[in-house]
Amino acid sequence: INGRVIENHLYSLLAFLHKQLKFTRSERISVYVRDEEENNFRIVGRYSTSPNYNKIGRESYAGDKGFISKCWDGDSDDFVKILPKHGTSEYYSEQFSVGYSKDELEKLSMKSRFFYVLNISRDGRPSIGVLVIESTKDRLDGYPNYEANEAEEKFQKRFSADIQKYSQYLYDVMDTKRIIKSGEGLHES
């Protein structure tokens, strides 16, 4: 039962964040926990107002691929990655795959261009998960105080500061290995 309560609370928090950031159907927010035994990441929460982007395809992601693992293993708490609008599939797989093959990238249901990835930690404790914000656009048009011609670096710093305000609360919601150990998944009833 504890896993279900945490899952519902996490879903409500992600819905709140989505609304606070004035996201549209083009964005989604996902949360992953690290499973050290399996050496992968398990999705424990996702929210989007788009039914297609709100769906959970895979429940686990390789521990050594993608932006999730890059952030987890990286030297900073977070990063923003904006993919260019044009390019061939080969270009994307060479430049942005972070370990995924071209075929794996083509199977993704959400073709994201904007990524914000944050290690979820608190008060100097080790990270327990990763928050991923994605958009199919290269800018977050609905984001409060959005400036169309704002310098990318300034935008990234401002966006990062806004999201990190919620990091410790997110950590508190997730601060339990019961999500992994209890066996209660996102699709069980």
Side-chain angles (χ1 to χ4, degrees):
I1 253 299
N2 287 335
R4 181 66 61 205
V5 170
I6 291 167
E7 178 186 314
N8 290 339
H9 193 58
L10 180 59
Y11 185 82
S12 295
L13 175 60
L14 297 181
F16 169 80
L17 273 175
H18 198 277
K19 186 174 182 173
Q20 283 296 109
L21 297 169
K22 299 188 187 310
F23 283 170
T24 65
R25 292 171 60 91
S26 300
E27 290 84 31
R28 78 173 173 197
I29 305 172
S30 304
V31 177
Y32 304 85
V33 293
R34 175 71 173 192
D35 183 341
E36 294 296 342
E37 293 173 13
E38 298 291 325
N39 191 32
N40 65 18
F41 294 93
R42 286 198 40 226
I43 188 163
V44 293
R46 173 170 282 164
Y47 184 83
S48 176
T49 53
S50 166
N52 290 333
Y53 300 152
N54 202 41
K55 290 179 189 173
I56 296 173
R58 295 178 288 166
E59 290 197 21
S60 69
Y61 294 77
D64 61 349
K65 294 181 179 181
F67 291 139
I68 300 168
S69 67
K70 181 179 178 183
C71 186
W72 182 264
D73 293 334
D75 293 332
S76 62
D77 290 333
D78 67 341
F79 69 87
V80 173
K81 187 72 175 176
I82 302 171
L83 304 184
K85 191 172 195 169
H86 302 291
T88 64
S89 296
E90 290 81 14
Y91 174 75
Y92 279 112
S93 64
E94 288 172 17
Q95 301 296 318
F96 307 109
S97 66
V98 196
Y100 283 105
S101 71
K102 180 183 162 197
D103 290 340
E104 288 172 311
L105 291 174
E106 288 177 356
K107 290 179 185 176
L108 296 175
S109 60
M110 185 173 183
K111 307 298 186 211
S112 300
R113 292 191 48 224
F114 175 94
F115 293 88
Y116 172 79
V117 191
L118 168 71
N119 272 311
I120 301 167
S121 61
R122 180 185 168 110
D123 302 328
R125 296 182 201 166
S127 299
I128 61 169
V130 177
L131 172 82
V132 178
I133 294 174
E134 300 171 76
S135 178
T136 57
K137 299 178 179 182
D138 62 346
R139 290 292 227 161
L140 305 173
D141 297 337
Y143 179 61
N145 303 316
Y146 172 80
E147 299 173 28
N149 57 358
E150 181 176 15
E152 189 172 312
E153 185 177 325
K154 182 181 174 191
F155 165 79
Q156 290 177 4
K157 285 181 182 179
R158 188 165 58 89
F159 187 76
S160 175
D162 282 351
I163 301 301
Q164 288 192 26
K165 290 180 210 172
Y166 301 101
S167 180
Q168 290 196 7
Y169 184 66
L170 187 56
Y171 185 96
D172 288 343
V173 170
M174 295 176 58
D175 189 17
T176 178
K177 293 292 183 187
R178 290 175 288 189
I179 293 173
I180 295 173
K181 302 292 184 202
S182 72
E184 292 187 39
L186 288 169
H187 302 294
E188 295 177 8
S189 50

